[in-house]
Structures are given as C-alpha cells and as structure tokens.
Amino acid sequence: MLVTGVASLAIGSLAGLCAAIGPTLVALMIRAGFRPAIAAAAIISSTLPNYWSPGSTDNILVAQIANIAVMDQINYISGKILLLFVFCVIALTVICFLFGDYKKNGTFQEAGTTKAGELNRPLPELPANPNILKAFAPLLPVVLLFVISLWFPQIKMSVATAMLIGFIYVIFVTRSNPAELVKKFFDGMGSGYGNIIGLIIAAGVFAAGLRSCGVVAGFIEYLKDSSEIAKLGGSFGPYVLGVMTGSGNAAAFAFCESVVPHAADFGMKIQDLGFLTCLSATLGRVSSPLAAGVILIAGIAGTSPIEVIKRSALVSLGAIVLTIFLM
C-alpha cells in the first residue's frame, strides 16, 4: 500500500495506476500468500496520497472555488490525508485477517481454496536462478512514470508509452524471439479488451443511463436544498454517486459546482466541504463495481470486482466517518 501511495503522487488516474503497478504488486502479494481479492483491494485503497500532488484535479477545483492557491489547499488538508492514509492501511490489514485473506505458507491458488467468484488461476513456477534484469522488467514502467512526472514534468508520458518501453526492454533482456513476444503482447491486449474493456464499456453505459434518467441530478438537488444535513450530504452524497456512476471526478465536480460554493450557509469552510466532497467521491469510486480501475485490477488479480469491493468499501466507509469527525 505504501508503494501504491507513492505511485499515486505521479499517476492520478485510478485505471492508469492499476494498469501501471497492478501486474507487479498484485502478483507479488498473491505469491506472498494473500488472496487475490485483498491484493486488488490493497491497490485501490491506497490512492489518497494523490491529494498531496499539486496536479490533483480535486485540489485544483476546490482551490478555484475557495479562491486560494492550490498549495494552500494542499497544506490545509495534508495532515488529514496522512491520518486517513494510515487509517486505510490499518483498516485493510484488519479486514485481511477478518476475511482470512492471508495464508503464511503457500498461496490460495495452490491450495485450491479460492472463494466463489474468484478465478483459480495458477501462478507460474519460480525460476531456479533469478535474473535481476528480468525481475526489474515489470517495475520499469512504474519507475519511468514516477521519475518523469516528478523530475521531468515537461515530458509528457502516458501509461501506454511507459508499458511499450518496458516491452522493448523485455525483448533485449530476455533475448527472445521478437515475433513471439509481439504475439504474446497482442494476445494480452486482446484478452484485456475481451475480459476487462467490455465490462468497462457496459458499466459506462449503465452510468450514462442513470444520468440520462435524471437520477444523479435529482439526488444533487435534494441534498442542495437540505442545508440541515449538509455535512452528511457532502460526504455520503458524493460517495453514493461515486458508487452509482463508477466515476470519482463526475460525482465530485457535480457536487462542488452546485453545493460547495454555499458552504458558508451550512456553517462550513469551502476548503472543508470541498475536500469532504471530493474525498467521498474518490472513495465511492473505489467502492463501485462499475469503476474502470476496479474492473481492471480485479481482472489483473483474476477475481470478481464484487469480491474486491467487499473489502475496499468497508475501508472507504470508515475513512468517510473519520473525515467527518476531523472536520
């Protein structure tokens, strides 16, 4: 979770973050004896440090509404983010043991004890003589994205570009037949489109249907007109919208534009209500089986999105309650 938290400073997109570091970290956790669902939940529950980034769209939006500098907003919430991140780490660790998601010796796949809804995907055999250059290959895209984002921000590199560079690196390091590697590369892409992208498209259609039917707009209007429950509305409202739509930004922007400017009428500061709104929407996204990042990380782990959010949703709800008390 610490590694994911650091990586989230450079990669703000949940789907992009999962694509970049998911294959490496999930495989390591499963190999270490964690159930695939908790391995996936650990990735999506570790993104709060992104709020320390000046490039965070949530920070920029709230700072604009409050008419303050982005760094002033970051300094204002930095202590809360640290406490919430520590809470998420501790809470998911507790959930891991409550669900029995860790087995010290061996893996769940090897023992054949995966729960319903999880894919019993066998892990590859460990090499007798590990090669450091080959072992570094899965980490290369993450290192590239992190280094370039922090130290060379003028260079724009997408997750796809970083992964393509990693693929070229694999060709040189393994000295394999490029034609065979290219076939495997595109086989993986095809599998991803068939098993993951299709679900993401279906989830997007469902979320668009909710918006078209006026469910989202009606929900916002109700909360906007209920000033007596502003704090609860500003927390659980965006959370519910995030779960319903699978998008943190959509829920956060909708609430920030319509509710947050009236924070003074509710006895709150714009910085507080804006942060509460954006944070709740972000946590709603990682609690939604419709979120692209959740579907992606579940596919990487070989498990069901429902199994993943059974764990991540508990952490998210606890974090929202803690945030309300911190306000």
Side-chain angles (χ1 to χ4, degrees), residues 275-327:
F275 169 65
L276 181 61
T277 295
C278 293
L279 178 75
S280 300
T282 297
L283 295 174
R285 174 187 61 182
V286 300
S287 303
S288 172
L290 304 177
V294 174
I295 295 171
L296 178 60
I297 198 66
I300 290 171
T303 187
S304 162
I306 299 298
E307 289 295 320
V308 177
I309 64 168
K310 281 180 184 178
R311 284 121 174 121
S312 64
L314 294 175
V315 177
S316 297
L317 288 170
I320 291 176
V321 173
L322 177 59
T323 305
I324 292 175
F325 281 106
L326 290 176
M327 291 299 171

Side-chain angles (χ1 to χ4, degrees), residues 160-294:
T161 302
M163 296 182 75
L164 186 59
I165 293 173
F167 172 69
I168 295 171
Y169 172 82
V170 168
I171 293 178
F172 284 104
V173 169
T174 61
R175 299 178 185 177
S176 301
N177 184 343
E180 291 299 320
L181 285 181
V182 168
K183 286 180 182 178
K184 291 181 180 178
F185 181 80
F186 283 101
D187 280 345
M189 288 181 63
S191 175
Y193 272 98
N195 299 327
I196 298 173
I197 303 299
L199 290 177
I200 292 174
I201 294 172
V205 171
F206 177 74
L210 289 176
R211 288 191 289 269
S212 298
C213 292
V215 175
V216 175
F219 190 50
I220 292 173
E221 286 300 318
Y222 169 75
L223 291 173
K224 186 169 66 174
D225 296 335
S226 304
S227 58
E228 67 278 3
I229 57 169
K231 185 177 286 190
L232 290 177
S235 54
F236 291 103
Y239 177 82
V240 172
L241 280 184
V243 172
M244 289 168 59
T245 63
S247 170
N249 284 342
F253 287 11
F255 262 80
C256 280
E257 290 173 358
S258 58
V259 177
V260 173
H262 307 286
D265 297 336
F266 311 141
M268 298 181 68
K269 293 182 178 179
I270 289 179
Q271 297 99 305
D272 286 330
L273 184 56
F275 169 65
L276 181 61
T277 295
C278 293
L279 178 75
S280 300
T282 297
L283 295 174
R285 174 187 61 182
V286 300
S287 303
S288 172
L290 304 177
V294 174

Side-chain angles (χ1 to χ4, degrees), residues 12-178:
S13 164
L14 179 63
L17 182 66
C18 292
I21 69 173
T24 302
L25 296 185
V26 168
L28 287 174
M29 290 186 68
I30 293 175
R31 177 69 71 180
F34 290 93
R35 195 184 298 277
I38 197 68
I43 301 297
I44 63 174
S45 299
S46 309
T47 61
L48 292 186
N50 177 252
Y51 279 93
W52 286 327
S53 170
S56 168
T57 54
D58 290 346
N59 288 334
I60 294 172
L61 177 63
V62 175
Q64 286 178 344
I65 295 174
N67 197 25
I68 59 174
V70 174
M71 287 309 301
D72 289 340
Q73 173 66 12
I74 293 174
N75 291 334
Y76 186 77
I77 65 173
S78 58
K80 297 183 181 72
I81 289 298
L82 179 60
L83 287 175
L84 290 168
F85 183 64
V86 171
F87 169 81
C88 288
V89 173
I90 295 173
L92 196 66
T93 302
V94 173
I95 288 171
C96 174
F97 288 103
L98 289 178
F99 277 73
D101 286 337
Y102 175 70
K103 186 165 132 179
K104 188 173 182 180
N105 299 314
T107 64
F108 285 92
Q109 282 88 347
E110 292 171 348
T113 58
T114 51
K115 290 182 178 179
E118 294 192 357
L119 302 179
N120 196 347
R121 180 182 297 173
L123 294 173
E125 294 295 328
L126 291 174
N129 299 306
N131 183 310
I132 259 192
L133 293 177
K134 293 180 180 179
F136 180 69
L139 298 175
L140 180 60
V142 182
V143 173
L144 279 175
L145 289 167
F146 186 74
V147 170
I148 289 176
S149 297
L150 292 184
W151 285 286
F152 304 98
Q154 66 276 13
I155 301 176
K156 303 299 181 184
M157 176 176 288
S158 66
V159 172
T161 302
M163 296 182 75
L164 186 59
I165 293 173
F167 172 69
I168 295 171
Y169 172 82
V170 168
I171 293 178
F172 284 104
V173 169
T174 61
R175 299 178 185 177
S176 301
N177 184 343

